[in-house]
Amino acid sequence: MAKITKFQSVSGMHDILPEDQGYYKRIYEVVSGMAEFYGFQKIDTPILEDTDLFSKSIGETSDVVSKEMYTLKTKGGDSLSLRPEWTAPIVRSYIEHGMHVLPQPLKLWYFGPCYRYERSQADRYRQFWQFGFEIFGESNPVIDAQIIQIQYNILKELKLKNISVEVNSIGDSNCRPYYKKLLGNYLKSRESSLCADCKKRFKENVLRVLDCKDEKCQPIKTEAPQILDHLCDECHSHFKEVLEFLDEIEVPYVLNPYLVRGLDYYTKTVFEIFQESEDGSKKALAGGGRYDKLVKLLGGRDTFACGAATGVERIISLMKAQGIEVSKEKETQVFLAQLGSLAKRKSLKLLEEFRKSKIRVSESFGRDSLKVQLNRANKLGAKYTLIIGQKEALEDVAIVRNMKNGKQDIIKMDKVVADLKKKL
Ligand code: HAM
């Protein structure tokens, strides 16, 4: 006999069970409410895109592209990848649909799964959900501040505690090459003391050394020249204004000169939002920044852009840890108990009337006994149970039982819904 395989969900990917749906729903409600208020329009893109779209935008040497993409060859020979993030697909869509002709700034938002082949560990998944906001066609630093404010406000509205915003500027093509050279020269003399990963980063993208968490590299980082001291005038004044706007809207932040982000497309402002635990450990909840060169890089016109994304599972895990509850599914108001096939038939019709009257009804159309059905009605917290047995079905009536005091009335079938509507 063939062996029966016990299937499990793929490592790093999980089912969203009914008991967790309330968290996704709550987060969706807060995010969509925020999006509507600030004038964002929703966009969805396919989960598969040309692999080149990601390597060109996020960068060949980034961890996301070099190690973490789920890439497949189609029967036609194309190389496609599951989206590891949403920004590149949205830029692709912006260009493909000529969205530059729409009134700018164009504001888009999204909510859906992403895929990264990362080492599975707590809060690091291979399928995870992101929501995010992208604004196209506006260079003013007020946009950068607003993007940060929206992500921050969402976390606040979800009642998360110990949230901190870290910001930095990584300059642009005017000043960053010079800074990279400066940093490279500084690191060259210390290369032998760098961790193994940083020796590689040093060659591939020297900025990423600043992002290293390895103990070995910390003293080297502290002494390194800082990009904020080497921004060109334009990047400097842009960043100064972003910080002034953040002060104005009272979003607390700290400057982190080592924040460089792991995706290549950023220019000027970058930021991350963390949750800090009592033991001092930090969890990244959101990240983003400005990416003024990406639309052109992917074949569009020169277009200013700025955006950010937040990880949904990380928020849920924090909501659970901080004891933040979400409202459960709405309670059953009426339970429909029936016995026999005629009663079942009449109940089915009644159920439709309840639906139209927006009364929340539960039933169990199986072969359960009346006792089992009444128990179920109790468990569901129904206020009333309708009992329709063979006799009631023949007489075209129903017994309406008040579940609190056990009082029962006999009501004509065609008056039942109206009667309950009054009682509830
Ligand atoms: P990111 O920093 O790579 O940025 O991801 C944003 C957020 O997604 C992270 O802060 C984290 O909460 C969540 N996240 C990332 N990887 C995982 C994972 N393996 N498991 C669980 N959660 C994860 C971006 O993706 C950019 N596209 C953000 C952006 C939008 N920049 C401009 N516009």
Side-chain angles (χ1 to χ4, degrees), residues 64 84-88 110 114 116 118 123-130 132-134 261-263 265-266 272-273 284-291 306-314:
V64 171
E85 57 110 48
W86 284 79
T87 310
Y110 48 90
C114 298
R116 294 185 192 176
E118 295 206 65
D123 290 322
R124 182 157 292 171
Y125 300 105
R126 290 179 176 172
Q127 176 183 275
F128 58 97
W129 287 52
Q130 275 188 349
F133 297 80
E134 314 288 344
R261 310 272 298 135
L263 314 159
Y265 48 64
Y266 293 108
E272 287 199 42
I273 303 184
L285 300 179
R290 192 161 265 287
Y291 50 96
C306 186
T310 303
V312 174
E313 284 76 6
R314 292 194 185 168

Side-chain angles (χ1 to χ4, degrees), residues 238-380:
H238 184 97
F239 192 50
K240 192 167 153 271
E241 280 189 68
V242 173
L243 301 183
E244 282 166 4
F245 282 125
L246 288 176
D247 289 334
E248 189 68 35
I249 54 183
E250 293 177 3
V251 170
Y253 61 85
V254 287
L255 287 183
N256 176 356
Y258 306 118
L259 185 72
V260 289
R261 310 272 298 135
L263 314 159
D264 275 0
Y265 48 64
Y266 293 108
T267 44
K268 296 183 177 165
T269 318
V270 286
F271 79 95
E272 287 199 42
I273 303 184
F274 295 93
Q275 190 268 338
E276 278 177 50
S277 302
E278 268 149 31
D279 63 4
S281 63
K282 289 199 305 188
K283 191 188 293 188
L285 300 179
R290 192 161 265 287
Y291 50 96
D292 290 339
K293 303 284 172 212
L294 187 57
V295 180
K296 181 137 190 230
L297 181 74
L298 294 179
R301 298 162 180 229
D302 241 336
T303 308
F304 299 109
C306 186
T310 303
V312 174
E313 284 76 6
R314 292 194 185 168
I315 296 186
I316 294 176
S317 118
L318 268 185
M319 287 172 83
K320 288 182 178 171
Q322 296 184 357
I324 299 166
E325 288 190 1
V326 289
S327 58
K328 306 234 164 25
E329 283 300 304
K330 290 205 173 107
E331 276 187 356
T332 292
Q333 296 172 296
V334 175
F335 191 86
L336 198 53
Q338 36 64 45
L339 287 170
S341 60
L342 183 62
K344 247 192 243 333
R345 232 183 299 152
K346 298 224 161 165
S347 301
L348 265 182
K349 199 167 156 244
L350 215 50
L351 201 61
E352 275 308 288
E353 284 181 45
F354 277 121
R355 186 180 62 76
K356 285 180 193 148
S357 303
K358 299 197 175 7
I359 296 176
R360 291 186 299 279
V361 185
S362 294
E363 34 65 33
S364 76
F365 282 151
R367 263 178 283 166
D368 296 334
S369 71
L370 188 59
K371 196 168 153 220
V372 170
Q373 294 189 61
L374 285 175
N375 272 341
R376 209 169 136 64
N378 261 327
K379 264 202 198 121
L380 290 170

Side-chain angles (χ1 to χ4, degrees), residues 38 107 135 141-151 249:
Y38 285 103
K107 301 175 168 185
I135 302 182
V142 71
I143 293 293
D144 313 33
Q146 195 179 48
I147 284 284
I148 298 174
Q149 181 191 30
I150 290 171
Q151 305 286 341
I249 54 183

Side-chain angles (χ1 to χ4, degrees), residues 43-46 49 53 87-99 108 298:
I43 184 165
D44 282 296
T45 57
E49 297 275 354
L53 173 71
T87 310
I90 289 175
V91 171
R92 192 262 311 133
S93 180
Y94 178 88
I95 300 167
E96 185 174 337
H97 298 285
M99 291 189 213
L108 300 171
L298 294 179

Side-chain angles (χ1 to χ4, degrees), residues 75-86:
K75 286 183 182 146
D78 297 327
S79 176
L80 305 180
S81 296
L82 287 175
R83 65 167 173 238
E85 57 110 48
W86 284 79

